[in-house]
Amino acid sequence: MAQQLNGEAKEREITRLMDILELDLEQKNLLPPQRNALLAELKTHIRAVENSGPLFSHNAVKTLSRHTFDSNSMVTSREAAKCLANVLLLESKTRQMFVDLGYPIKAAQRLKNDNREDELLYSRILFLLTYDTAFDFGQLFDEYQLAESINLNIVRHSKSYSKPGRRDPPTATDTQALSETLKLLFNLSQYYPRHLSTLARSAPSILKILCRTHLATPVLQPPVTYLVNALLNLSVHYDDKPQRDSDPNPYFPKPDQYCNIDRFISILDNAVRTYTEEQLETLVTPLVTLLRKVFEFAPSNVRPHMQTALLPSNSERSQPLGQSNTLASRLLRLSNSPVAPSLRESVSSLLFELSDKDATSFVRNVGYGFASGFLMTHDLPVPTSATEGWSTGQSGGDLGEKLTSVDGKEINPVTGQIKEMEPEASEEEMTEEEKEREAERLFVLFERLKATGVVSVKNPVEQAVQEGRFEELD
């Protein structure tokens, strides 16, 4: 194994190796094993930007590209491609150099190979070209079947996820290659929506893999995260498209229309029980967004299934909503998270959409305490009966009954709890943990209200700090 070098010694060694590789292109003075060994040694020095300057020149990119695409040996080609991919990753300016040399077309052609290592390397190279270059992938779509190559590679992966015992499980290289292909697919579907209909042909295979892959702990790691992200964009293609026998919607397959939805919800349930709110902010927001998109075009018989799984059930109303350990309660608590603003907004939007985008149903489903902030920040009318029920304990008319009764039992419209199960007025004082949670919730509500600009309010927590009514803890 090559010695790890640093500083000027590393830079001199990189220069020496690149000079030998460049000369070899003209004189062919290296035997294949020697050439492969030099490339493998070079790769050990391409792990950090520091003292790697000789690799980031136009000439270095050209040399590595020629060894990658002009070699007659696939071993040499792949060793060189590993070096090239690392260079493109470490220094963004080299990507446009690669483009200017005209090699993206050859990378797309290599993607047609039925080889997982080639798939990994050239998907990664093409993925990197979606950042910090002026390259237009249109030619690769139109003339070099880029979308079809991606779709075929994903179909090949899906065959490894057949029923247990029928095929060998995917290897580490298989999983890495799948991840790189999904990352490429996601970016292309984002930046080239004109080709979304072709890329969307991967959706059935991606759904199959997601449903059959083993869910590790923690659950949101590759390839699951990349599968979810890919589906997030591909779902747009099926929005507002009716399901027909000739063109079925893969998100709701006829044998079991709930299977994919149940998998999404299972992953979500696992995630919210495992990660902190700060981690969920980046990890689970795409999954919540996917559920929102899918609910928009779900068949009429699937929508109630999603509502039942994600909204609080009537059995939870023996206590204030959001206090149990169910997925619905955890989502309610996340909808008021003070540390995860993107997730807070996404979860609140999901719960509102599951309530058919109706403010009255929303308040009834989650309680005014959880609904009020979202309604205010989105300038949605707050049902009068909710505020009346809060201040007077009474409300009249059909709207009031819809807000304040469930299965014939009166509920508190603010907390969602059945009133006859509320504790007596002489209830015990809240614990310190409960006080902190309530303070966090109120802080978020006041910040949301202030952000609307409709009324001028001062957050009481902020005011207390300014007035010196908070004491520092030792």
Side-chain angles (χ1 to χ4, degrees), residues 235 239-240 251-252 261 264-265 287-311 349-357:
S235 66
D239 197 0
D240 298 325
Y251 288 79
F252 315 103
I261 294 299
F264 299 160
I265 293 173
L287 178 56
V288 175
T289 304
L290 176 61
L291 284 166
R292 291 177 57 198
K293 286 177 177 268
V294 171
F295 183 74
E296 279 293 312
F297 61 82
S300 57
N301 62 313
V302 175
R303 291 169 71 91
H305 181 77
M306 296 181 67
Q307 291 167 325
T308 299
L310 295 168
L311 290 171
S349 298
L350 172 64
L351 297 173
F352 181 68
E353 289 154 13
L354 289 168
S355 302
D356 300 318
K357 299 181 181 179

Side-chain angles (χ1 to χ4, degrees), residues 36-231:
N36 298 339
L38 283 171
L39 288 165
E41 183 180 352
L42 178 65
K43 184 177 63 177
T44 65
H45 300 302
I46 318 177
R47 294 174 179 171
V49 174
E50 292 76 19
N51 302 108
S52 298
L55 290 166
F56 304 145
S57 67
H58 183 276
N59 201 50
V61 173
K62 182 178 180 180
T63 298
L64 291 175
S65 297
R66 288 183 63 186
H67 278 291
T68 298
F69 296 105
D70 298 344
S71 174
N72 293 324
S73 165
M74 292 307 296
V75 175
T76 299
S77 174
R78 288 169 186 150
E79 285 295 332
K82 293 172 186 176
C83 295
L84 179 61
N86 286 350
V87 168
L88 298 179
L89 174 64
L90 289 179
E91 179 50 73
S92 60
K93 71 178 183 181
T94 60
R95 300 167 198 169
Q96 188 61 48
M97 297 175 189
F98 180 82
V99 170
D100 294 339
L101 288 165
Y103 283 108
I105 289 173
K106 292 192 175 185
Q109 290 173 320
R110 289 287 178 91
L111 206 57
K112 296 180 180 182
N113 294 348
D114 185 6
N115 180 279
R116 302 289 70 78
E117 191 169 4
D118 284 347
E119 178 191 355
L120 189 163
L121 291 167
Y122 299 110
S123 290
R124 179 175 294 175
I125 287 172
L126 290 171
F127 168 76
L128 291 170
L129 299 187
T130 63
Y131 298 103
D132 303 310
T133 74
F135 182 65
D136 184 353
F137 280 76
Q139 184 183 14
L140 301 188
F141 280 111
D142 297 335
E143 299 179 27
Y144 296 94
Q145 299 78 48
L146 177 59
E148 289 79 2
S149 296
I150 291 172
N151 293 341
L152 183 55
N153 279 330
I154 293 176
V155 168
R156 288 167 177 150
H157 284 289
S158 72
K159 293 178 180 178
S160 297
Y161 293 85
S162 298
K163 294 182 179 179
R166 294 180 60 180
R167 285 183 177 270
D168 293 332
T171 65
T173 299
D174 292 338
T175 301
Q176 290 172 355
L178 173 61
S179 295
E180 295 299 328
T181 296
L182 291 169
K183 287 160 57 180
L184 175 61
L185 183 151
F186 175 83
N187 275 16
L188 293 178
S189 63
Q190 185 85 3
Y191 302 140
Y192 297 89
R194 183 168 69 89
H195 298 280
L196 187 59
S197 59
T198 306
L199 292 169
R201 294 171 190 167
S202 286
S205 295
I206 294 173
L207 288 162
K208 175 184 175 182
I209 295 170
L210 184 60
C211 281
R212 294 185 178 178
T213 191
H214 170 70
L215 297 181
T217 301
V219 65
L220 292 177
Q221 56 182 295
V224 171
T225 47
Y226 298 131
L227 291 163
V228 168
N229 288 346
L231 291 170

Side-chain angles (χ1 to χ4, degrees), residues 406-418:
V406 170
D407 295 338
K409 296 182 178 181
E410 189 178 5
I411 63 170
N412 183 324
V414 178
T415 66
Q417 184 177 15
I418 297 173

Side-chain angles (χ1 to χ4, degrees), residues 314 317 321 355 358-369 371-372 375 381-390 393-419:
N314 289 340
R317 295 182 182 273
L321 294 179
S355 302
D358 177 75
T360 301
S361 297
F362 184 43
V363 172
R364 180 183 185 278
N365 286 334
V366 306
Y368 181 70
S372 57
L375 295 175
V382 177
T384 305
S385 297
T387 53
E388 289 178 352
W390 186 6
Q394 299 178 350
S395 52
D398 294 339
L399 178 58
E401 291 177 5
K402 185 176 181 181
L403 276 171
T404 58
S405 65
V406 170
D407 295 338
K409 296 182 178 181
E410 189 178 5
I411 63 170
N412 183 324
V414 178
T415 66
Q417 184 177 15
I418 297 173
K419 283 206 169 185

